[in-house]
Amino acid sequence: MPQGSSHRPHQVAVIVDEGTNPFEVGVATELFGLPRPELGLPGPLYEVTLCAPAPEIRMNHGFFTLTGVSGLDAVDGTDTLVVPGRPDNVVPRVPAVLDAIRRAHARGARVMSFCTGTFALAEAGLLDGRRAATHWRWADSFRRLHPKVLLEPDVLFVDDGDLLTAAGSAAALDLGLYVWRRDHGAEIANHVSRRLVFASHRDGGQRQFVERPVPDVRDESLAPLLEWAQERLGEPLTVADLAARARVSPATLHRRFRAQLGTTPLAWLTGERVALACRLIERGEERLDVVAARSGLGTAANLRNRLRRVTGLSPSAYRRRFGAGGGEALVS
């Protein structure tokens, strides 16, 4: 049974500060605050509380004014704290916001930032010596202000244990779906991503979004090829097969994957196969060789290696954590 299904909902608090980006607040409430009857569970897995340092908060550029939300003491009962970004990153946060972030972290809460919310975590002193991500546009500014933070400029998000940081507003969706997957497994995360009409996992990093000259001729979208391949993951597909389907050379296909997805064809194919293997395990398939064959990973040994590399778990440990059938071991 997925984690949390037999316990109280996981409590998520979202700090709304002066100038906060409303899109990222919306991402947090969309991800963690909506009822999800399609999951068929007896109750919600998450509950969201919005909190602010003042009874009335003007959000980004004054487009919205937020009222009627909890005070910052709401963070004292939260399991996960979300800190959205704002555009004025060099303006210090109010001390009460920083104190609330520090209190939540010191108490053991998981702390997540979206986009430039990383600046708030760094200003609160949480990120010195820790890995983090922020939007590529403000990476140089972040390094100047917070040189002790181990900034990773080319990724969509960073999971550094109890501190998770997303590189941009849309990357907040990537990080949120990753948290769903980490907390409750790939099957439930896929339900959430389908409702969002958003990829449950995007390979590559934010380097693909950095401003660059527009080519004279745009490459064709990879979407039809990806859909075709996803329907055939159990077949012995190779990069050459993908190139032949796209009617391009393997070198051209490689360039298109790099440009559009920020990854290689082989890495994308392997990632999709691991995701399929996770779903098969969650749905109750107990035979390791069957999971390996149906996901296209070939052998039980390769499945073990790939699953551990992606999830940090062996197939049996993954099934105990996320599988529908409980704790029985997978068999070869």
Side-chain angles (χ1 to χ4, degrees):
M1 178 174 284
Q3 283 189 330
S5 59
S6 60
H7 305 288
R8 70 175 180 87
H10 185 100
Q11 300 299 306
V12 178
V14 182
I15 287 186
V16 184
D17 196 3
E18 190 78 22
T20 288
N21 186 346
F23 177 84
E24 291 159 23
V25 175
V27 167
T29 55
E30 177 79 20
L31 281 165
F32 302 116
L34 295 187
R36 300 195 180 276
E38 68 273 16
L39 298 181
L41 300 175
L45 296 175
Y46 300 96
E47 285 184 349
V48 171
T49 300
L50 301 183
C51 59
E56 186 172 290
I57 290 290
R58 283 168 52 87
M59 301 178 75
N60 193 355
H61 294 97
F63 288 130
F64 299 92
T65 299
L66 190 66
T67 61
V69 298
S70 300
L72 291 177
D73 56 352
V75 307
D76 297 328
T78 193
D79 301 307
T80 292
L81 177 65
V82 177
V83 183
R86 66 180 197 187
D88 51 348
N89 300 305
V90 297
V91 177
R93 270 71 178 170
V94 297
V97 168
L98 298 178
D99 288 343
I101 295 172
R102 294 186 192 104
R103 287 202 315 274
H105 183 253
R107 194 174 47 77
R110 177 170 60 189
V111 180
M112 299 168 54
S113 68
F114 292 165
C115 194
T116 56
T118 316
F119 282 78
L121 269 57
E123 193 176 344
L126 271 58
L127 291 178
D128 285 357
R130 303 288 294 270
R131 297 164 50 243
T134 197
H135 195 288
W136 60 265
R137 188 175 179 183
W138 288 280
D140 290 341
S141 173
F142 185 90
R143 288 191 186 96
R144 288 193 298 270
L145 289 169
H146 306 290
K148 295 181 180 180
V149 180
L150 307 178
L151 187 67
E152 298 193 8
D154 297 328
V155 298
L156 293 175
F157 61 83
V158 166
D159 176 358
D160 199 46
D162 57 345
L163 297 173
L164 299 93
T165 50
S169 295
L173 286 165
D174 293 289
L175 178 56
L177 288 169
Y178 168 79
V179 167
W180 269 95
R181 191 164 61 249
R182 194 175 87 167
D183 288 353
H184 304 292
E187 186 75 17
I188 285 182
N190 284 341
H191 279 290
V192 177
S193 69
R194 283 194 292 271
R195 181 162 164 182
L196 287 166
V197 195
F198 190 82
S200 61
H201 174 73
R202 289 193 295 168
D203 285 310
Q206 62 172 325
R207 184 190 297 272
Q208 61 193 300
F209 304 111
V210 176
E211 292 174 319
R212 57 172 65 86
V214 178
D216 293 334
V217 179
R218 292 176 61 88
D219 282 336
E220 294 180 0
S221 171
L222 288 169
L225 176 65
L226 303 184
E227 183 178 356
W228 176 85
Q230 285 169 331
E231 295 173 351
R232 295 164 175 81
L233 293 174
E235 300 177 12
L237 288 179
T238 66
V239 174
D241 294 328
L242 296 180
R245 175 70 183 182
R247 298 181 180 178
V248 297
S249 69
T252 297
L253 185 71
H254 189 95
R255 287 194 296 271
R256 289 187 180 179
F257 265 77
R258 279 293 186 192
Q260 296 183 33
L261 300 180
T263 189
T264 66
L266 182 58
W268 176 86
L269 191 59
T270 301
E272 291 296 310
R273 283 170 164 160
V274 171
L276 176 56
C278 289
R279 295 197 297 273
L280 291 170
I281 293 171
E282 291 173 25
R283 291 175 182 177
E285 178 54 66
E286 299 179 13
R287 296 162 296 176
L288 203 58
D289 56 342
V290 172
V291 174
R294 290 182 60 189
S295 65
L297 290 172
T299 66
N302 190 40
L303 170 60
R304 290 190 187 94
N305 179 51
R306 295 293 181 180
L307 192 67
R308 188 178 294 278
R309 185 177 302 176
V310 172
T311 70
L313 300 171
S314 68
S316 293
Y318 189 90
R319 183 165 189 262
R320 284 194 298 271
R321 182 169 179 181
F322 298 120
E328 297 87 347
L330 286 153
V331 295
S332 299

